[in-house]
Amino acid sequence: MKAVVFKGRMEVVVEEVPDARIEQPTDAVVRITSAAICGSDLHMYDGRTAALPGTVLGHEPLGVVEEVGPAVEKVRPGDRVVMPFNISCGRCFNCARGYTAACLTVNPSAHGGAYGYVGMGPYRGGQAERLRVPFADTNCLPLPGVPGDDLEDDFVLLADVFPTGCFGADLAAVEPGMSVAVFGAGPVGLLAAYAAQLRGANEVYVVDYVPDRLQRAEAIGATAIDFTRGDPVEQIIAIRRARQGDLGADMGLADKMMGVMCGVEAVGFQAVDWEHPQDEKPNRVIEDLIRLVNPTGHIGIVGLYVPEDPGGINPHAKKGEIQISFGKLWEKGISFGTGQTPVLRYGPRLRDLVASGQARPSFVVTHRMPLEAAPDAYAKLARREEGYAKVILKPGG
Ligand SMILES: NC(=O)c1ccc[n+]([C@@H]2O[C@H](COP(=O)([O-])OP(=O)(O)OC[C@H]3O[C@@H](n4cnc5c(N)ncnc54)[C@H](O)[C@@H]3O)[C@@H](O)[C@H]2O)c1
Ligand SMILES: [Zn+2]
Ligand SMILES: [Zn+2]
């Protein structure tokens, strides 16, 4: 079968690899009809992780079950399914509590498994014609409809980025009426903003510098903040001050509350330094959020940080040591949450929200391409080329 294979820094190829097959009685093999490329894949593509050449990429797959092992009970050949990017057993101490991103049994070298991702176990990715799905009854989320229908782009986003946007909003404790700032207008940031709106946020700001991405944020009714125009924290505070009258009487009493209550980090360790946009600054966004979030507020850090970054800008960054103003965070009594999304926790609810027409996350999808176009798509996404945000590969054309 054909698959997208990581060859080294800035190089992926589409080549023949051994067919996916049933290896355990609890496995299924799924024929992939859509596989999205993620910002997380780009950290590997950029050579900024310990990913080894030969890795078959792709952790956002959707398709049709072709074959199941003898111990699979629920999933049947012919079922249309999307796979959460986490591979989980569904039964261990962490899975049983809903923390499927930290499954204790699927990855011999760490907690948590995923398809085609560095450090996440021996599993091949889904940017391929077929995918082996372990513990198929747990890791296949059944979908209504037929391959290639109107909801295919929405459903494939259930593998990762729509749940991750919701996880960011959860970690940031977004509730009806809250003020929210999302840093990063990639697919994850845009869907965190969307999730905040679904949860009834009063104001949503989205910070980035890619014009097309900021326009998408405006299109869903968020306020776009372009950091090339200056400190994004000052920009948001200035807008809130100017709107003070509309924001409710209490705000007038509290100049100390001109930041936001909820902050989402959807950028990751390769953050651009807005003071010097040609440079990276791994603590840039977290520091901005500590300045921006009000006392007693919450920060959700879903952007990725790694314990090993070969291209880190200094010896600390190479070891994933990010310097943050912890004293300021403590003084403000801000809580924060981090980590990989436990996708399974969100899957069924978000699927039903999409199926009933109440959510259309596919507004982040910019391109659909054959699998063979992966090298070109990765190169364009890595450059954050204007107009490219979420690319969906279509194995089999
Ligand atoms: N927690 C999880 O389980 C999970 C799941 C999916 C993705 N992720 C991570 O989320 C992050 C975002 O993913 P994506 O697919 O949207 O990636 P992306 O690369 O498409 O988007 C990141 C955006 O951040 C912007 N940016 C860079 N520096 C910035 C700054 N200082 N302030 C504001 N914006 C800035 C970039 O211009 C870009 O548009 C990545 O780090 C990805 O690995 C985490
Ligand atoms: Zn992803
Ligand atoms: Zn488990």
Side-chain angles (χ1 to χ4, degrees):
M1 66 173 191
K2 286 203 187 76
V4 178
V5 182
F6 173 69
K7 289 287 175 181
R9 193 172 163 269
M10 304 284 182
E11 192 187 358
V12 298
V13 299
V14 179
E15 64 184 21
E16 285 290 327
V17 301
D19 281 343
R21 55 180 185 81
I22 304 286
E23 295 175 23
Q24 296 292 331
T26 46
D27 287 354
V29 169
V30 175
R31 178 174 60 82
I32 301 303
T33 58
S34 287
I37 301 177
C38 182
S40 301
D41 296 324
L42 301 178
H43 297 306
M44 290 192 283
Y45 180 76
D46 288 343
R48 299 297 298 274
T49 71
L52 295 174
T55 303
V56 174
L57 300 176
H59 58 268
E60 304 189 2
L62 175 153
V64 177
V65 177
E66 228 172 37
E67 200 186 341
V68 297
V72 175
E73 291 173 357
K74 289 192 307 198
V75 177
R76 299 315 326 154
D79 287 356
R80 187 190 198 195
V81 292
V82 61
M83 276 59 69
F85 79 82
N86 330 101
I87 298 173
S88 59
C89 74
R91 297 177 189 185
C92 69
F93 180 73
N94 287 345
C95 285
R97 296 181 303 123
Y99 291 86
T100 51
C103 176
L104 297 169
T105 69
V106 292
N107 183 353
S109 56
H111 56 282
Y115 302 97
Y117 210 84
V118 55
M120 302 297 289
Y123 306 100
R124 292 195 299 177
Q127 289 165 15
E129 289 177 309
R130 283 177 181 70
L131 177 70
R132 171 189 165 227
V133 180
F135 300 108
D137 282 331
T138 301
N139 293 309
C140 290
L141 178 70
L143 298 171
V146 291
D149 66 11
D150 281 353
L151 295 181
E152 177 110 355
D153 289 351
D154 296 283
F155 283 145
V156 74
L157 302 178
L158 296 174
D160 181 349
V161 287
F162 190 22
T164 296
C166 291
F167 184 51
D170 273 353
L171 292 176
V174 178
E175 290 175 23
M178 284 300 194
S179 47
V180 182
V182 178
F183 281 67
V188 171
L190 289 171
L191 289 172
Y194 189 59
Q197 291 171 332
L198 288 170
R199 284 174 151 239
N202 189 25
E203 304 152 74
V204 180
Y205 301 89
V206 178
V207 181
D208 206 303
Y209 72 144
V210 182
D212 163 73
R213 295 180 174 207
L214 289 171
Q215 278 158 21
R216 280 175 204 271
E218 293 272 356
I220 58 164
T223 302
I225 305 291
D226 180 347
F227 65 63
T228 61
R229 301 207 181 125
D231 181 353
V233 173
E234 287 304 327
Q235 290 191 57
I236 293 172
I237 290 174
I239 295 173
R240 279 181 50 80
R241 277 221 174 86
R243 282 183 187 164
Q244 208 164 341
D246 313 331
L247 293 177
D250 286 348
M251 288 298 167
L253 302 173
D255 197 46
K256 299 168 189 75
M257 301 295 271
M258 281 297 115
V260 296
M261 292 308 298
C262 312
V264 179
E265 199 290 10
V267 178
F269 68 103
Q270 290 183 254
V272 171
D273 184 4
W274 49 260
E275 285 177 289
H276 309 280
Q278 66 286 1
D279 294 335
E280 267 182 36
K281 197 172 183 190
N283 65 353
R284 174 83 267 172
V285 177
I286 299 179
E287 282 293 282
D288 287 346
L289 282 167
I290 293 173
R291 287 191 296 136
L292 177 63
V293 170
N294 289 331
T296 73
H298 298 266
I299 299 175
I301 303 175
V302 289
L304 186 113
Y305 289 79
V306 285
E308 217 181 312
D309 172 7
I313 56 168
N314 57 45
H316 287 291
K318 286 188 199 302
K319 290 190 279 179
E321 295 168 355
I322 310 288
Q323 189 171 23
I324 63 166
S325 301
F326 191 76
K328 184 49 93 180
L329 178 98
W330 194 96
E331 186 185 70
K332 285 175 137 183
I334 295 172
S335 348
F336 68 97
T338 66
Q340 289 185 9
T341 307
V343 173
L344 202 61
R345 202 190 291 171
Y346 295 89
R349 284 179 287 151
L350 296 183
R351 171 199 60 198
D352 295 350
L353 206 57
V354 167
S356 68
Q358 295 179 78
R360 291 303 301 266
S362 57
F363 73 91
V364 304
V365 174
T366 53
H367 295 80
R368 293 155 208 85
M369 297 179 170
L371 193 69
E372 289 70 18
D376 185 43
Y378 269 87
K380 289 186 164 131
L381 284 167
R383 290 196 295 271
R384 305 292 180 287
E385 192 158 302
E386 184 74 13
Y388 280 75
K390 195 70 172 167
V391 175
I392 300 181
L393 300 172
K394 311 289 283 181

